Amino acid sequence: IPLQVLTVPTAPYPDQRPSTSGLRKKVFVFQSRRNYLHNFIQSIFSSIDLRDRQGSTMVVGGDGRFFNQTAIDVIVQMAAANGVGRLIIGHHGLMSTPAISCVIRKYKAIGGIILSASHNPGGPDGDFGIRFNTANGGPAKEDVTNKIFQISRTIEEFAICPGLRVDLTTLGKQTFDLENKFKPFTVEIVDSVESYANLLRNIFDFAALKELLSGENHIKIRLDAMHGVVGPYVKKILCEELGCPANSAINCVPLEDFGGHHPDPNLTYAADLVDSMKDGQYDFGAAFGGDGDRNMILGKHGFFVTPSDSVAVIADNIFCIPYFQHTGVRGFARSMPTSTALDRVAKATKIELYETPTGWKFFGNLMDAGRLSLCGEEHFGTGGDHIREKDGLWAVLAWLSILATRRQSVEDILRDHWRKYGRNYFTRYDYENVDVDAACEMMEDLEIMIADKSFVKQRFAVEDKIYQVEKADNFEYTDPVDSTISRNQGLRIIFSDGSRIIYRLSGTGSSGATVRIYIDSYEKELIFEDTQVMLASLATIALKISQLHHRTGLSGPSLIT
């Protein structure tokens, strides 16, 4: 008997605007508000022209956080009712964000729905997120997310096939007949790892990596999946295929609450990994974000590689990766708040450098146009043009490829890099759960202050250091591919010595506002001093200019990276 398709009346919600990383809310918002999930999913489907949607292929997967299974059940029922012909879903509903990008591209899907709140905490009291990626495998551009938002504000009904039930535990195809005129609806449950692993095999020299990790003079590594979705990928690729001992990889079982931890791979939330590296028994360490897109790199004794330095070092050693030996290097890019370390490599190698707003969609546009090969952002994101997402496991294999070629320690490679290019000291202060009105008012007043002509050339003195403002603006980006303009991307204060202070309101939290302050300072001569010590003067100036503590009522940042 064909399954019944229903049209259900609903009422819109005003707060479903997707940010750079989709719609993120506390789990209880999705659970407690009637049809809140259904409304947003329908808005995604309705944003796609029916002619493109009918009979099309879409990909669905998530990081395994709480509410993942419930959301997939609803998405399957609504996809069928909205004319989608085939869904490709990861086994048990799990698939890393990089793998989803890979699978979208491999199967020429019209897009994919990613169920993740990335590095935000999970569990019943945590966050849940939904993001739509388009046919290139990357995050939807602003015109698409704006369309989704506008539909969500006026939605009156949604289509659903409530009797449709899918078994996510069994690999293979499941076919369903519906009472509508569309062809039979197919759900294909696929191995979450295999397509993505095959892509990596064609990028890196797995024989050389296997020799590095399990050969006669192999190095010892420690990988922390932080109970996120990347655990099975680490086990399959690093342990089973490249020969790392099984105990090299920890926290590899995906959990709905990430083991009660924050799945954000930084020095604060991956402190257990940092501690385990300190005694020197491991040569290389890495942690991964909840959905597999972010990474943190550590050397022996817990030597920390900043994300800004990480992408610069990969750029300088890019031909250690066979993929780039074949494709060549088309360009480098970094997000505006990321330190200018990559710029120096680009200048030395005469490779085009793009400075974009925060958000991987800007990198994706450059990649689609054949202008970009490698990119990174300061929030522990690095990637190449093999997909259209940041890719934590790719970044780790890139680093291991460099180690396999150079046969030096992580620390020695960094020190050589600094001797060659100088060093960027970089930090970021996060002030989370700030009152939205207070945060917006502070940013508005800051912009008025720095826009005044008298602000340029102004001098700020802290102890024996004097900084003179050379330029100040609200960063604006004109895309060189399609000429679209992205305004209000962050307030920049650039000093005459190249040091920078940047203020941004982040759109990736689920409640309140997050004010981020980025501080970047360049030293041509090597000074082996603690980053926070080196940047203390600029931090003092950043707080003085913004009056952040006074304006927000906060005594200090909730996170320093």
Side-chain angles (χ1 to χ4, degrees):
I1 300 173
L3 294 167
Q4 187 179 21
V5 176
L6 300 180
T7 300
V8 180
T10 190
Y13 291 94
D15 63 345
Q16 293 194 328
R17 179 187 289 278
S19 70
T20 54
S21 298
L23 180 69
R24 290 185 186 172
K25 301 289 180 184
K26 290 294 182 186
V27 169
F28 74 80
V29 173
F30 289 95
Q31 289 178 318
S32 62
R33 297 186 185 176
R34 182 177 174 82
N35 298 331
Y36 194 84
L37 172 67
H38 299 71
N39 280 18
F40 191 69
I41 297 301
Q42 183 62 58
S43 298
I44 291 174
F45 288 132
S46 297
S47 72
I48 306 166
D49 190 281
L50 180 60
R51 290 169 296 182
D52 297 325
R53 194 167 75 225
Q54 197 164 336
S56 66
T57 296
M58 291 186 72
V59 181
V60 179
D63 59 14
R65 66 178 58 232
F66 185 82
F67 202 66
N68 202 69
Q69 190 87 31
T70 303
I72 288 178
D73 290 343
V74 170
I75 290 167
V76 171
Q77 293 171 352
M78 293 185 66
N82 276 277
V84 173
R86 175 171 69 152
L87 283 186
I88 297 171
I89 306 178
H91 198 204
H92 299 288
L94 299 174
M95 200 182 296
S96 75
T97 294
I100 291 173
S101 182
C102 164
V103 172
I104 290 172
R105 295 168 66 81
K106 176 182 176 179
Y107 288 95
K108 296 181 169 52
I110 62 164
I113 296 176
I114 299 175
L115 303 172
S116 171
S118 190
H119 53 289
N120 292 16
D125 299 321
D127 296 347
F128 188 74
I130 306 170
R131 178 146 60 91
F132 179 58
N133 278 27
T134 48
N136 74 340
K141 295 180 185 177
E142 204 164 331
D143 60 334
V144 176
T145 57
N146 283 341
K147 188 175 182 182
I148 292 170
F149 177 53
Q150 292 306 324
I151 292 169
S152 77
R153 294 178 66 190
T154 57
I155 188 169
E156 295 180 346
E157 60 186 28
F158 61 84
I160 191 165
C161 187
L164 198 158
R165 295 284 182 269
V166 169
D167 176 11
L168 297 177
T169 66
T170 305
L171 294 172
K173 293 182 180 178
Q174 302 165 44
T175 303
F176 306 87
D177 287 319
L178 311 182
E179 67 175 11
N180 59 17
K181 298 176 183 178
F182 301 126
K183 294 177 182 178
F185 175 66
T186 301
V187 175
E188 190 172 344
I189 308 301
V190 299
D191 184 307
S192 304
V193 179
E194 190 49 39
S195 291
Y196 171 75
N198 197 49
L199 178 64
L200 295 183
R201 291 182 196 111
N202 291 315
I203 293 173
F204 300 101
D205 183 344
F206 269 36
L209 292 174
K210 188 167 185 175
E211 178 64 25
L212 175 76
L213 298 172
S214 57
E216 189 176 345
N217 297 310
H218 68 273
I219 64 171
K220 288 188 70 177
I221 71 173
R222 183 81 160 171
L223 303 173
D224 188 348
M226 301 186 81
H227 289 301
V229 74
V230 82
Y233 295 79
V234 170
K235 282 290 190 185
K236 169 81 174 178
I237 297 169
L238 272 299
C239 298
E240 293 177 25
E241 193 155 347
L242 297 179
C244 288
N247 61 6
S248 301
I250 59 173
N251 301 324
C252 284
V253 178
L255 298 176
E256 287 189 336
D257 65 348
F258 306 108
H261 301 296
H262 215 308
D264 197 354
N266 58 49
L267 293 172
T268 300
Y269 296 123
D272 288 349
L273 174 69
V274 176
D275 290 341
S276 71
M277 295 288 295
K278 283 181 178 175
D279 65 5
Q281 66 171 308
Y282 299 106
D283 302 293
F284 177 89
F288 302 95
D291 67 333
D293 63 350
R294 287 182 164 84
N295 75 96
M296 177 177 72
I297 304 296
L298 299 173
K300 202 164 191 167
H301 302 294
F303 181 86
F304 173 58
V305 181
T306 70
S308 300
D309 277 341
S310 180
V311 69
V313 169
I314 294 172
D316 198 40
N317 295 274
I318 198 162
F319 294 115
C320 294
I321 302 168
Y323 174 85
F324 294 111
Q325 296 170 15
H326 299 304
T327 65
V329 182
R330 301 179 180 92
F332 298 138
R334 62 168 175 82
S335 64
M336 180 273 286
T338 302
S339 95
T340 56
L342 181 61
D343 304 38
R344 301 179 207 290
V345 179
K347 185 177 181 181
T349 54
K350 295 182 170 56
I351 292 171
E352 187 78 24
L353 185 283
Y354 300 93
E355 182 182 34
T356 73
T358 296
W360 219 257
K361 61 191 173 188
F362 298 103
F363 295 146
N365 218 32
L366 293 166
M367 289 175 181
D368 289 346
R371 295 191 181 201
L372 179 59
S373 297
L374 173 73
C375 55
E377 59 173 22
E378 51 71 36
H379 198 175
F380 297 87
T382 320
D385 62 351
H386 60 298
I387 56 171
R388 298 297 181 265
E389 286 280 1
K390 58 179 84 77
D391 190 343
L393 200 49
W394 179 94
V396 165
L397 292 178
W399 263 95
L400 291 174
S401 298
I402 295 168
L403 295 181
T405 302
R406 293 184 54 165
R407 284 290 173 174
Q408 287 178 282
S409 71
V410 172
E411 184 171 350
D412 285 345
I413 289 170
L414 252 296
R415 290 181 185 273
D416 283 353
H417 187 87
W418 293 334
R419 288 187 191 97
K420 182 177 179 181
Y421 292 107
R423 181 177 178 182
N424 279 78
Y425 289 87
F426 179 86
T427 193
R428 189 187 86 201
Y429 300 102
D430 286 7
Y431 293 81
E432 297 174 308
N433 297 317
V434 178
D435 177 80
V436 174
D437 291 338
C440 291
E441 192 175 298
M442 183 197 80
M443 292 294 286
E444 288 167 5
D445 289 348
L446 247 178
E447 183 169 8
I448 292 169
M449 180 196 300
I450 69 171
D452 192 300
K453 290 181 180 178
S454 65
F455 188 75
V456 176
K457 302 300 182 187
Q458 200 165 321
R459 293 155 70 92
F460 295 89
V462 178
E463 296 177 353
D464 59 337
K465 292 191 174 183
I466 298 175
Y467 296 88
Q468 184 169 359
V469 178
E470 187 170 280
K471 181 181 179 181
D473 63 9
N474 191 336
F475 182 61
E476 183 175 294
Y477 176 70
T478 302
D479 194 301
V481 178
D482 56 22
S483 299
T484 55
I485 299 173
S486 300
R487 297 184 171 88
N488 303 313
Q489 296 298 314
L491 304 179
R492 299 189 299 177
I493 300 172
I494 303 172
F495 298 97
S496 55
D497 68 347
S499 299
R500 303 183 307 155
I501 296 172
I502 294 155
Y503 303 88
R504 284 186 67 246
L505 277 183
S506 171
T508 58
S510 62
S511 59
T514 297
V515 179
R516 302 197 199 278
I517 300 178
Y518 310 80
I519 301 175
D520 179 21
S521 180
Y522 174 69
E523 296 287 343
K524 186 171 178 55
E525 301 300 323
L526 270 192
I527 305 170
F528 294 111
E529 184 62 88
D530 178 80
T531 296
Q532 299 302 326
V533 172
M534 288 294 293
L535 298 177
S537 298
L538 283 167
T540 300
I541 293 169
L543 292 173
K544 179 181 178 182
I545 291 172
S546 64
Q547 297 184 311
L548 188 143
H549 291 166
H550 171 70
R551 301 292 295 265
T552 65
L554 297 174
S555 58
S558 44
L559 184 66
I560 302 174
T561 56

